[in-house]
Amino acid sequence: MPNPGTINGSHHLTFCVGGAQEDYDFHVRTLGLKSVKKTVLFDGEIPIYHLYYANRVGDASTILTSFPYRQAGWMGKRGTNQAKSINVAVPAESIGYWADRLKTAGIAAKQVERFGTERLELAHPSGIPYQIVGETRSDTREPYAGGDVPAEHAIRGAFGTTTSVREPELQDEFLREAFNCTHVASDGAHHQYEIQGEGHGRTLELVEEPDLQQGTWRFGEGTIHHHAFDVGTAENQLVVKDYIVGLGYTDVSDVKDRGYFFSVYLRTPGGALFELAFSTPQGFTIDEPVDELGTHMCIPPHWEDRRAEISQLEPIDTIETVQP
């Protein structure tokens, strides 16, 4: 039998937002995450921030990353055949805390129950849907305790994502066969799957929305760009990639060096862009010591000669003191 390799769970979730300041405020001042890295997007010729939020050290599966595109003027369109919702996990008993915190912050949130979990549905300032999910299972991830959210209520990291599809059958087949997912449950238009790994953020959900227009896949404000999954090592990344290609899903990239991790990208039948990633041994400490994470503007080597251009990006008022 072919070896499918191992997908542990989520590595990070990446999306395109509007302004850098409102994105920072939402993730750090409202959601209580730590800003662990400020750098620029590796792709393209237009300087764009790449902002990372996570727990204290930026462990895999705790990472949310954004590209603020408003300054460049690139707009996306939310729709079907596209990743729809960023889903983050908190302890189940913390949903009440988060409902009160969001209300105090002036953020509208709707409390719902889905697949046995209490959730708060809200939106990023750029319109991207988020769900704060009350995780009922044990979650051993270190919560960030350096902000004003008590550690017992803090976001643990990714729960997963929801993808909007017109028809679920092809994405269902991909998730079960290529990603070794188990179909957990269906409830009307909603379907839930779980990756059979040992990491965190292993829940993938689909929602059928056949009447929506196609969403955009390029970079653009207000859309989710990709969901990255942790494959642990270079060797396992190659095994998983070859297995997926061998099934006939050939829209798969070569390995790309992202500085802090190595990535392979693939477009799924449901439209969502997935990534197979593994962190370098140094992770985010490759260019900042652990006690200084997020306090420098870290320029990739191939952008170093354009530092003056990068300095023209929108300034961000931060909690931490940022060195040039």
Side-chain angles (χ1 to χ4, degrees):
M1 293 289 291
N3 179 7
T6 302
I7 299 171
N8 299 314
S10 291
H11 188 277
H12 63 271
L13 309 177
T14 295
F15 34 90
C16 301
V17 300
Q21 185 67 62
E22 67 182 21
D23 182 68
Y24 178 94
D25 290 344
F26 178 74
H27 288 104
V28 175
R29 291 189 166 98
T30 300
L31 296 188
L33 299 174
K34 176 180 171 59
S35 173
V36 293
K37 191 66 59 180
K38 299 173 182 68
T39 183
V40 293
L41 175 61
F42 276 38
D43 296 325
E45 292 300 317
I46 302 173
I48 299 292
Y49 276 127
H50 194 172
L51 305 177
Y52 290 78
Y53 311 98
N55 68 356
R56 180 180 62 88
V57 294
D59 289 323
S61 85
T62 73
I63 309 162
L64 304 181
T65 95
S66 68
F67 304 136
Y69 260 97
R70 184 168 299 158
Q71 192 166 349
W74 289 18
M75 293 298 299
K77 184 182 77 171
R78 290 186 294 278
T80 194
N81 295 331
Q82 177 194 69
K84 178 185 179 74
S85 174
I86 298 289
N87 305 334
V88 296
V90 301
E93 58 272 19
S94 297
I95 287 293
Y97 169 86
W98 281 101
D100 292 342
R101 182 176 177 87
L102 293 172
K103 183 177 181 180
T104 300
I107 296 175
K110 178 182 178 182
Q111 189 163 346
V112 301
E113 181 178 346
R114 185 169 298 124
F115 297 123
T117 56
E118 294 293 328
R119 307 179 179 202
L120 296 171
E121 296 179 337
L122 63 149
H124 183 282
S126 66
I128 297 171
Y130 276 53
Q131 295 182 55
I132 296 177
V133 182
E135 176 62 88
T136 56
R137 298 170 296 188
S138 174
D139 194 329
T140 59
R141 287 175 286 188
E142 175 190 349
Y144 179 55
D148 67 346
V149 176
E152 64 267 26
H153 296 306
I155 291 171
R156 275 18 184 202
F159 181 81
T161 51
T162 302
T163 295
S164 174
V165 294
R166 287 185 176 173
E167 300 174 348
E169 288 79 13
L170 293 179
Q171 188 74 352
D172 169 87
E173 181 180 55
F174 175 85
L175 292 177
R176 287 185 292 103
E177 294 190 5
F179 255 57
N180 194 31
C181 289
T182 297
H183 174 246
V184 177
S186 290
D187 182 7
H190 295 271
H191 311 279
Q192 187 178 71
Y193 300 80
E194 186 165 293
I195 296 170
Q196 299 308 297
E198 296 184 355
H200 298 282
R202 294 184 286 116
T203 302
L204 299 176
E205 296 180 351
L206 307 179
V207 57
E208 297 178 51
E209 297 181 305
D211 296 329
L212 283 187
Q213 293 184 341
Q214 169 75 48
T216 51
W217 288 354
R218 57 171 286 176
F219 294 128
E221 176 181 339
T223 57
I224 298 170
H225 190 257
H226 64 264
H227 186 164
F229 298 88
D230 182 18
V231 292
T233 67
E235 295 76 16
N236 184 56
Q237 184 185 62
L238 182 60
V239 170
V240 175
K241 175 186 175 183
D242 287 349
Y243 177 75
I244 291 172
V245 170
L247 292 174
Y249 300 105
T250 56
D251 189 4
V252 181
S253 77
D254 293 331
V255 178
K256 298 181 181 293
D257 182 353
R258 297 314 196 186
Y260 313 107
F261 44 86
F262 288 87
S263 304
V264 167
Y265 300 89
L266 58 135
R267 184 67 66 181
T268 70
L273 183 65
F274 283 1
E275 174 185 337
L276 309 173
F278 69 93
S279 297
T280 65
Q282 304 97 322
F284 291 121
T285 64
I286 197 169
D287 52 10
E288 291 178 301
V290 67
D291 60 348
E292 296 180 15
L293 287 177
T295 65
H296 300 82
M297 186 61 194
C298 297
I299 308 299
H302 70 284
W303 277 95
E304 189 60 50
D305 63 338
R306 299 178 64 184
R307 187 175 281 269
E309 289 180 65
I310 294 167
S311 69
Q312 301 304 308
L313 290 172
E314 174 193 349
I316 308 174
D317 174 33
T318 63
I319 294 172
E320 65 279 358
T321 300
V322 180
Q323 307 299 320

